[in-house]
Amino acid sequence: MSAKVQIDEETGLPIIRKKPAQEKEDSTPSSRYLRAQKCDEIDAKFGFSHYRDAAERTGWMINMHPADVLDENKQLVSAVDFYFIEEDGQRFKVALPYQPYFYVATKKDTEREVSSYLSRKLSGRLASIDMVEKEDLDLPNHLVGLKGKYLVLRFHTVEDLMKAKRSIYGAYISVYRFQVLWDIMPAVRKNKEREKTHSAYDPSLFTRVSSEPVLPTHITDQMENIVDIREYDVPYHVRVAIDNKLNVGHWYRVKGHGYDPPEIHLVDDEPDRPEMGSCEEMKEGCMRESPV
């Protein structure tokens, strides 16, 4: 008897879930490290070996891809591999480690409490948490330069970020190889509605006719103070490229620093585009390099 297929009510698509053991095995550091080594071996066959020397090389960026690398502490961290071709056709790639992050908006004057709460809740996954000011288009007078306060949560790996998102906003499911957010944090929606109601009717505007002292209300669950999440759905390699102003189709000067982040600088007076080898030429090169 075949298992009953569950249908998502919002998308109308079947819900396809990984087995817990398989999902856990795919996300372990050892499996990710082995997968990263396999990708490096495949790239090396096509001439794209990791470049870590201090000598500067100039290359035309042709591609970028998320990866996992070991830092100076032998800890597996997220990075992006950038692929280059030099004027003479030589190929190489460099890995740029970068901490993924997203923003969390809180109720006014609760940033410190929420920050302490998330630091404890996400202990072991969170690399750092800081408070920043950014433009908020939802503010009534944002055109005059008003900025909102946000907590920026940074992580060592994309996997840690995904686990943190699931613990805060709900679960993700895989539907036809696409990641679909099926529950965008009911607490956030509830908090937003509460904020609207509170702004429409504020008890502090009225005089309390009583001789009893007004006791402050303490919210024990800091999740109720989280009202929004920003930039959580930006793909990791896109985030790294935007923040570091790196784009495919330009010349860059690249200098390695061992296992430290490399230097990648745009060439001002760009030369002509290099000659790209055809797929057949690259295939023949791999066959010559591969052992018989």
Side-chain angles (χ1 to χ4, degrees):
M1 184 176 179
S2 59
K4 184 178 179 180
V5 178
Q6 296 182 351
I7 304 298
D8 186 89
E9 296 180 356
E10 295 184 1
T11 63
L13 299 175
I15 299 175
I16 304 173
R17 290 189 175 92
K18 282 186 176 181
K19 296 181 179 180
Q22 180 183 358
E23 184 176 1
K24 184 177 180 181
E25 181 181 355
D26 292 343
S27 60
T28 58
S30 58
S31 62
R32 285 168 30 223
Y33 178 66
L34 293 176
R35 186 164 59 246
Q37 282 188 319
K38 185 64 176 178
C39 292
D40 289 341
E41 292 176 1
I42 295 175
D43 288 342
K45 291 181 179 180
F46 286 90
F48 295 98
S49 299
H50 272 296
Y51 184 71
R52 298 187 176 92
D53 296 340
E56 185 178 88
R57 300 177 68 173
T58 302
W60 174 276
M61 186 185 295
I62 64 169
N63 199 7
M64 64 181 72
H65 193 273
D68 291 303
V69 298
L70 293 175
D71 62 5
E72 64 277 4
N73 298 321
K74 302 300 180 182
Q75 180 182 3
L76 198 65
V77 298
S78 291
V80 174
D81 282 337
F82 292 95
Y83 298 78
F84 297 91
I85 294 183
E86 296 180 292
E87 284 190 280
D88 58 0
Q90 295 295 318
R91 311 182 188 104
F92 68 96
K93 71 173 183 177
V94 293
L96 179 61
Y98 197 80
Q99 292 180 341
Y101 64 88
F102 58 79
Y103 297 95
V104 166
T106 66
K107 294 180 181 178
K108 187 178 180 180
D109 298 328
T110 62
E111 294 86 4
R112 294 185 181 277
E113 291 81 358
V114 174
S115 176
S116 299
Y117 170 77
L118 292 178
S119 297
R120 296 191 302 269
K121 180 180 177 65
L122 305 176
S123 177
R125 300 175 184 171
L126 195 63
S128 65
I129 180 169
D130 301 294
M131 187 172 64
V132 297
E133 291 187 354
K134 293 183 67 68
E135 292 185 4
D136 189 353
L137 301 182
D138 292 336
L139 292 177
N141 295 324
H142 67 273
L143 294 178
V144 299
L146 294 180
K147 294 185 178 181
K149 293 182 179 180
Y150 291 88
L151 296 177
V152 53
L153 281 64
R154 300 183 183 274
F155 303 86
H156 295 291
T157 65
V158 176
E159 284 72 19
D160 289 341
L161 181 145
M162 297 296 293
K163 292 177 182 177
K165 284 199 301 185
R166 281 194 289 264
S167 65
I168 298 178
Y169 317 111
Y172 278 77
I173 59 173
S174 179
V175 178
Y176 291 125
R177 298 183 182 180
F178 291 93
Q179 295 297 324
V180 179
L181 183 64
W182 65 275
D183 190 0
I184 309 178
M185 192 181 176
V188 170
R189 291 199 296 265
K190 181 178 66 175
N191 294 339
K192 284 185 176 181
E193 292 298 326
R194 187 186 295 114
E195 284 291 298
K196 292 180 181 178
T197 305
H198 180 73
S199 61
Y201 175 78
D202 192 346
S204 63
L205 299 177
F206 301 91
T207 303
R208 181 181 179 88
V209 186
S210 175
S211 59
E212 299 178 358
V214 180
L215 300 178
T217 302
H218 296 281
I219 299 178
T220 57
D221 186 6
Q222 291 297 332
M223 292 295 289
E224 295 183 5
N225 284 331
I226 300 177
V227 296
D228 204 358
I229 170 180
R230 300 291 175 89
E231 301 187 13
Y232 62 91
D233 55 351
V234 179
Y236 173 65
H237 67 286
V238 176
R239 162 64 63 205
V240 177
I242 292 175
D243 290 357
N244 293 275
K245 299 180 180 180
L246 300 174
N247 298 283
V248 172
H250 291 279
W251 288 96
Y252 291 91
R253 292 189 176 92
V254 183
K255 183 184 295 185
H257 293 284
Y259 288 95
D260 292 333
E263 296 182 24
I264 307 176
H265 300 290
L266 181 67
V267 177
D268 296 330
D269 49 342
E270 297 189 24
D272 296 333
R273 178 176 174 176
E275 292 293 334
M276 303 291 182
S278 63
C279 294
E280 289 296 329
E281 292 175 352
M282 297 178 69
K283 182 178 179 181
E284 292 177 1
C286 294
M287 294 177 62
R288 288 195 300 268
E289 296 175 4
S290 301
V292 179

